[in-house]
Amino acid sequence: MILLENENIRVTFAAKGAELRSITSKINGLDYLWSGDATYWAKFSPVLFPVIGALKDETYIVDGKEYHLSRHGFARDHDFEVEQISDSELLFTLSSTEDTLKVYPFEFKLDLRYIISGSSVSCTYEVTNPAEKELLFSIGGHPAFAAPLTADASYEDCYLEFAVDESLTYFKISDNLISDQTDTLHLDKAKLFLKHPLFYDDALVFKHMESRAITLRNTKNEYGLHFRFNDFPFFGIWAAKDADFVCLEPWCGIADGVHHNQQLSDKEGIVSLPPGEDWKRIWEVEVF
């Protein structure tokens, strides 16, 4: 484990996938991330790159050639180079190789920059295009937060509080792809109480969420977290079946739709980065 800590929090990471592994408050002793129990889901906070969700038939087309990637891409399964910038900052780097070019025909440099401050940890995705052609990619977060945090609360005592939205329309998933069917969640004073059946049909996928901050709280005690994100056009909320966590997932990109033509350049939400340019997005979690 790789460690950052200050007087308020202790945060650990793994080089594999540049994955955030724990966020422990020194004030109350609570770890706010999911435990990684393999009975339900063995990951903690994977980075989704260069695709988010599933591709139709795990296949996409670039310049007339078919390529194959599994769900959420390959970055989460690769070891990143690690550099400690300061006592409060870590930089994880993954670059294209001969092996990645076989399944993803683009040169890239992907940096994940983690910074702690007070009781907060931020994650910055930085993508650089070193090539002489455009770089097409999607990227997003998948952090899983413990729900509940303490033994005196249950999953159903936990709720998400949205900064702006009064209702949320989500797109249903069909065979891992985004369907045309939608449903609407009507919030109770901006609150969505967690229930395991919410996620029995996979993630809730939002294309038009207005909130750029979500708070995870519960009715039994004062512990929780604020999750903030900007400039992510898509958002997912998910949990494994009957598991006591909730994933808050800001995305630049989305799974293939059921009618997608498999051309990567036509993929909904795909980011096109010109030669020699950089791109970045940030999400942040503050625990209390």
Side-chain angles (χ1 to χ4, degrees):
M1 287 294 101
I2 303 158
L3 172 68
L4 286 178
E5 63 181 327
N6 59 22
E7 65 278 7
N8 290 340
I9 55 174
R10 183 179 187 273
V11 186
T12 62
F13 310 83
K16 183 178 180 180
E19 189 175 26
L20 181 62
R21 287 293 183 92
S22 68
I23 306 172
T24 303
S25 169
K26 292 185 175 181
I27 298 169
N28 59 36
L30 297 175
D31 183 359
Y32 286 76
L33 273 194
W34 160 243
S35 66
D37 182 352
T39 304
Y40 298 95
W41 191 59
K43 295 186 180 295
F44 302 81
S45 180
V47 56
L48 315 183
F49 177 90
V51 296
I52 289 171
L55 299 166
K56 184 185 288 189
D57 299 325
E58 296 191 340
T59 300
Y60 68 98
I61 301 169
V62 174
D63 295 331
K65 183 177 178 180
E66 288 190 354
Y67 297 88
H68 306 283
L69 283 175
S70 58
R71 189 171 184 169
H72 295 322
F74 53 71
R76 61 183 180 165
D77 297 317
H78 280 250
D79 288 331
F80 283 62
E81 296 180 4
V82 187
E83 179 183 1
Q84 179 137 3
I85 305 300
S86 70
D87 290 343
S88 61
E89 182 175 350
L90 288 171
L91 181 65
F92 293 81
T93 300
L94 179 69
S95 298
S96 51
T97 65
E98 289 185 6
D99 287 338
T100 67
L101 289 169
K102 292 175 184 176
V103 295
Y104 178 61
F106 298 94
E107 295 180 39
F108 68 88
K109 181 162 104 40
L110 169 62
D111 291 326
L112 266 69
R113 188 180 303 272
Y114 291 101
I115 300 174
I116 62 170
S117 177
S119 294
S120 298
V121 55
S122 65
C123 174
T124 303
Y125 303 126
E126 303 175 2
V127 182
T128 302
N129 181 2
E132 296 181 356
K133 67 174 185 177
E134 68 176 350
L135 169 59
L136 300 177
F137 68 93
S138 296
I139 192 168
H142 203 311
F145 299 106
L149 286 164
T150 57
D152 62 333
S154 70
Y155 196 71
E156 290 74 17
D157 293 322
C158 302
Y159 62 89
L160 301 174
E161 189 170 21
F162 293 80
V164 176
D165 300 90
E166 296 180 356
S167 65
L168 295 167
T169 297
Y170 65 94
F171 286 76
K172 295 183 177 182
I173 294 177
S174 176
D175 294 327
N176 294 325
L177 305 179
I178 307 300
S179 75
D180 297 329
Q181 291 185 302
T182 63
D183 203 348
T184 299
L185 300 170
H186 297 284
L187 306 182
D188 179 9
K189 298 180 180 178
K191 299 175 183 178
L192 174 66
F193 278 84
L194 298 181
K195 298 179 181 179
H196 290 303
L198 268 177
F199 310 109
Y200 283 179
D201 294 324
D202 213 322
L204 308 178
V205 176
F206 305 97
K207 297 184 182 183
H208 309 295
M209 181 187 291
E210 294 184 24
S211 296
R212 289 296 173 262
I214 299 173
T215 299
L216 174 61
R217 300 182 188 270
N218 72 87
T219 60
K220 298 298 185 181
N221 55 59
E222 71 275 17
Y223 303 123
L225 60 88
H226 301 298
F227 189 76
R228 305 182 183 98
F229 51 99
N230 284 310
D231 300 319
F232 290 88
F234 306 98
F235 201 88
I237 302 176
W238 177 78
K241 187 175 182 180
D242 294 329
D244 286 344
F245 69 82
V246 61
C247 287
L248 302 179
E249 306 181 38
W251 299 333
C252 287
I254 198 171
D256 277 356
V258 293
H259 306 298
H260 182 49
N261 63 11
Q262 298 180 288
Q263 296 287 337
L264 190 63
S265 59
D266 295 337
K267 183 174 173 60
E268 185 175 12
I270 198 75
V271 179
S272 176
L273 185 62
E277 294 198 5
D278 302 318
W279 178 100
K280 68 171 59 177
R281 292 291 186 275
I282 302 172
W283 57 260
E284 176 188 25
V285 56
E286 179 185 3
V287 302
F288 59 85

